[in-house]
Amino acid sequence: MARKSFGEHLRSFGRYLMEIFRALRRLLRYFLVILLSYLIQSCIMPYVKIGGVTPSLLFAVTGVITVCYGRLRAYWTGGIFGIILEITKPPITYMNLLLYPIAAAFCSVFFADKSDKRLETERSLNKSARNGNVYLRSALCAGMNTLLYEIVNITYIYLGGTELTMDHFIRGGVDILTTMVLALLVAPLVRRYLGFALMPTENRTVQGRYLA
């Protein structure tokens, strides 16, 4: 077997460095999205109220990232948001720290892209295997995250001795719906910035078989 020349080794090393650079750039963009989301939520979103309720940009972005990256990155995103909110705005001790990553990881089970292995398994069982619309899944994921948060919040209010009224549930519903709409609005921007296709296409399957 012929040994590689010095030039070939140099080109291989250059390609290796470029891969590292691209990975670091993608990671930097991810953290910038996290930082900007928190700053906008803290500085701008309090002035955006619908029915007296401020939508959650954090849950909207979490939903988009969950669909883009999957379960592990969804957990990271929830964990980072939880830590930041626990430090800056702790309404209930450890509530944000625990709820954000747990809710994100739970929702990722239903809304993150299916892996190639899972798709192949479903096709082998003669099922129509494909990932759903990325925007719809982003909105539904953001809505479920918000729903879990509202359930915990209302439960805490009730256990604190406050009598629940219909206004509590209406405000919770408004929060869920407005956060879902916000996720639909930010999804194209976040996906484009993170380097994901705005609307990925997949080969359709019927009974586990590809259509030409």
Side-chain angles (χ1 to χ4, degrees):
M1 181 181 295
R3 298 180 60 182
K4 290 184 178 180
S5 65
F6 176 77
E8 291 174 332
H9 281 293
L10 189 61
R11 285 192 293 271
S12 298
F13 182 69
R15 287 193 294 268
Y16 178 70
L17 289 180
M18 286 301 298
E19 288 297 324
I20 294 178
F21 174 75
R22 293 191 187 100
L24 290 175
R25 185 175 60 181
R26 289 193 295 268
L27 188 62
L28 177 60
R29 288 187 175 186
Y30 165 74
F31 282 115
L32 283 176
V33 168
I34 298 296
L35 178 60
L36 288 175
S37 300
Y38 172 73
L39 292 176
I40 293 173
Q41 181 68 37
S42 300
C43 302
I44 299 176
M45 293 307 294
Y47 300 100
V48 180
K49 293 183 181 293
I50 301 175
V53 177
T54 299
S56 175
L57 180 62
L58 303 187
F59 281 137
V61 171
T62 299
V64 177
I65 289 178
T66 298
V67 174
C68 289
Y69 290 103
R71 185 178 305 179
L72 183 59
R73 193 64 67 90
Y75 181 80
W76 288 4
T77 303
I80 294 171
F81 282 147
I83 291 172
I84 295 175
L85 290 174
E86 188 66 31
I87 294 173
T88 58
K89 301 177 181 179
I92 305 171
T93 304
Y94 301 125
M95 176 178 172
N96 291 324
L97 184 62
L98 297 175
L99 183 56
Y100 269 78
I102 292 175
F106 176 76
C107 294
S108 68
V109 175
F110 304 98
F111 301 111
D113 279 344
K114 298 176 183 178
S115 65
D116 292 339
K117 182 178 180 180
R118 182 177 173 184
L119 290 173
E120 288 300 326
T121 300
E122 292 182 359
R123 288 166 187 152
S124 67
L125 297 175
N126 288 329
K127 295 181 179 180
S128 178
R130 63 180 310 190
N131 291 306
N133 183 281
V134 293
Y135 299 124
L136 179 59
R137 284 188 288 131
S138 297
L140 291 175
C141 185
M144 181 175 283
N145 272 287
T146 311
L147 173 62
L148 295 175
Y149 186 88
E150 289 295 338
I151 289 174
V152 173
N153 188 44
I154 290 176
T155 301
Y156 177 80
I157 292 173
Y158 175 75
L159 294 177
T162 302
E163 181 179 356
L164 296 179
T165 64
M166 185 57 64
D167 184 61
H168 289 97
F169 296 99
I170 292 176
R171 289 174 62 86
V174 171
D175 188 20
I176 294 170
L177 292 176
T178 53
T179 299
M180 291 176 66
V181 172
L182 185 59
L184 287 174
L185 294 176
V186 302
L189 298 175
V190 174
R191 289 183 65 87
R192 181 185 292 275
Y193 183 70
L194 293 176
F196 288 86
L198 296 184
M199 185 59 72
T201 58
E202 299 180 29
N203 294 324
R204 295 186 178 181
T205 60
V206 175
Q207 295 182 351
R209 297 179 181 176
Y210 287 100
L211 290 178

